Amino acid sequence: MGARKKRAPRRGSLGFSPRKRASRLVPRVRSWPDVDIGKPVPLAFLGYRAGMTHVFMVDDRPGRPTSGKEIFVPVTIVETPPMYVVAVRLYGYDPNRGRYSLGEAWAQPPPELELHRRISTLGSFDTDKMLKSLEEKLEKAVDVRIIAASQPKLAGGLSKKKPDLLEVKLGGVRDVNQLFDYARDILGNLVKLRDVFQEGQLVDVIAVTKGKGFQGVIKRWGVKELPRWHKHRKGSRRIGARSHGRSTFWETPQAGQTGFHRRTEYNKRILMIDDDGYKVTPAGGFLRYGVVRSTFAMLAGSIPGTPKRPIVMRWPIRPPEWYLKLGVRKPEITYISLLSKQGV
């Protein structure tokens, strides 16, 4: 019987371990960038993945072989209805306990938001009294955040009524008092996508990937299948040995949960923001989604998740050097494919 080679390259990144199911469908943003643009701005926005198509645009990246020429770009459409700001929250910091909440102020949500579907103990709020209590604690505050609720009823491809809640940090300036004044002004009002991002800007996309259930080591880790010899009575779609016999190494590829993982993809460029969803809806609508009826964002490339999945777009936490040097530039799109995706 032939001998297999004694060494093989590492299969699958250990940086994403443990590969377990995401704890929530709407991901919580764990890290926030330090943004200083001279005015307060929310640093994230929530949308719903509609589908993919392709466009032709003029390559505006200097130094590329295709610079100034028309190029083909696959794009992902994310429908982003306006979000309703339901609460303001202050955070303090203590070296021993870390970041902690100082309190929050809630606005009385409108009935059409149907926030009671998400919060069962929703009652009446004295917003002015809550805001006054927060003002007294403003000296201890180091961070101002808002709690925004999405409006899935305005999205064309969704049938649910229950809004999704997202805690969003306010940035743009370093003065906490200025951030609190901005939060008080938008409390109980709508925030649109253009209030957060602009065309040509880079964003980080945080989402939960498509779930694939329990899979073996070949699909899950990409290990090589063993040759199908007649003496392989124990199978070929498996690893040779999990350990040396005394204990099991956690680094050894094993079968388990595949997909439905929380993932972050960095530096996706927004090519277009528009309120007319019919500009990007293909003939017959997007597969498993339908027609885009609200504000949408067109992102270059692909993003994690399935159609209808909540997508969190955040200001870039590690933008590349060329982006910091050139700044935000609106791309020139010459063609948007509206061909039917049926049978693709």
Side-chain angles (χ1 to χ4, degrees):
M1 184 171 65
R4 191 187 184 278
K5 64 178 183 179
K6 299 300 186 294
R7 295 176 179 85
R10 156 90 240 163
R11 297 295 184 176
S13 172
L14 296 177
F16 298 101
S17 296
R19 297 195 177 187
K20 60 181 182 179
R21 288 175 58 87
S23 60
R24 62 189 73 189
L25 196 60
V26 180
R28 177 178 59 90
V29 182
R30 300 170 182 169
S31 302
W32 296 97
D34 187 10
V35 178
D36 188 5
I37 59 175
K39 64 176 183 179
V41 61
L43 298 183
F45 203 88
L46 187 141
Y48 299 95
R49 190 183 194 274
M52 293 192 68
T53 183
H54 68 271
V55 302
F56 286 96
M57 60 174 289
V58 177
D59 192 357
D60 55 357
R61 300 170 296 177
R64 300 297 181 102
T66 57
S67 181
K69 300 179 182 179
E70 202 174 53
I71 58 174
F72 171 98
V73 179
V75 295
T76 304
I77 306 301
V78 179
E79 191 166 8
T80 55
M83 301 188 70
Y84 187 87
V85 181
V86 296
V88 177
R89 181 178 291 170
L90 294 183
Y91 281 93
Y93 181 78
D94 183 78
N96 297 322
R97 56 191 291 201
R99 196 178 301 270
Y100 64 96
S101 174
L102 292 172
E104 54 193 34
W106 285 74
Q108 193 65 38
E112 58 270 15
L113 186 62
E114 300 192 41
L115 191 60
H116 65 277
R117 295 179 179 272
R118 177 63 62 181
I119 305 177
S120 59
T121 59
L122 195 65
S124 59
F125 304 107
D126 190 347
T127 306
D128 294 335
K129 184 178 180 180
M130 290 180 173
L131 288 174
K132 188 175 181 180
S133 176
L134 289 183
E135 289 180 0
E136 298 173 355
K137 305 174 183 177
L138 204 54
E139 295 180 356
K140 301 179 182 179
V142 297
D143 200 355
V144 182
R145 303 188 183 184
I146 60 174
I147 300 177
S150 66
Q151 300 186 86
K153 292 195 299 183
L154 302 182
L158 300 178
S159 58
K160 71 175 185 177
K161 301 177 182 179
K162 183 186 294 186
D164 294 313
L165 296 180
L166 179 67
E167 184 181 88
V168 180
K169 180 180 178 180
L170 298 182
V173 295
R174 304 183 187 275
D175 187 10
V176 176
N177 295 314
Q178 192 173 351
L179 292 175
F180 180 74
D181 293 339
Y182 174 76
R184 182 168 47 189
D185 292 339
I186 64 175
L187 178 63
N189 297 319
L190 294 177
V191 175
K192 298 183 178 180
L193 183 65
R194 292 187 183 273
D195 299 332
V196 183
F197 302 117
Q198 54 182 318
E199 294 175 325
Q201 183 176 349
L202 296 184
V203 296
D204 296 338
V205 174
I206 308 172
V208 177
T209 63
K210 180 189 297 185
K212 300 180 184 298
F214 192 98
Q215 299 293 337
V217 292
I218 290 184
K219 184 177 179 68
R220 194 180 190 218
W221 293 96
V223 301
K224 185 178 180 180
E225 183 182 3
L226 298 176
R228 294 179 180 269
W229 295 331
H230 66 283
K231 291 187 177 181
H232 272 188
R233 59 191 182 279
K234 294 184 179 180
S236 62
R237 297 183 62 88
R238 60 188 296 276
I239 56 176
R242 292 195 304 173
S243 67
H244 43 59
R246 292 184 294 273
S247 62
T248 301
F249 296 130
W250 72 270
E251 304 97 332
T252 304
Q254 299 188 44
Q257 172 66 34
T258 307
F260 206 79
H261 306 309
R262 181 191 186 275
R263 294 291 181 260
T264 302
E265 293 198 4
Y266 299 94
N267 301 325
K268 297 290 184 178
R269 190 181 184 189
I270 298 179
L271 301 183
M272 177 186 291
I273 298 176
D274 203 286
D275 298 328
D276 186 6
Y278 289 96
K279 289 184 178 180
V280 293
T281 301
F286 286 102
L287 294 180
R288 296 176 294 280
Y289 188 84
V291 179
V292 177
R293 302 186 186 277
S294 183
T295 306
F296 69 88
M298 178 188 292
L299 302 179
S302 62
I303 62 175
T306 62
K308 305 181 182 181
R309 182 145 297 177
I311 304 294
V312 176
M313 295 178 289
R314 178 192 63 188
W315 276 64
I317 200 168
R318 52 184 191 194
E321 264 187 50
W322 65 265
Y323 179 74
L324 298 175
K325 187 180 299 183
L326 298 178
V328 178
R329 295 183 298 173
K330 182 178 179 179
E332 181 183 350
I333 299 177
T334 58
Y335 170 78
I336 301 175
S337 174
L338 301 181
L339 298 177
S340 174
K341 308 303 178 186
Q342 304 291 333
V344 175

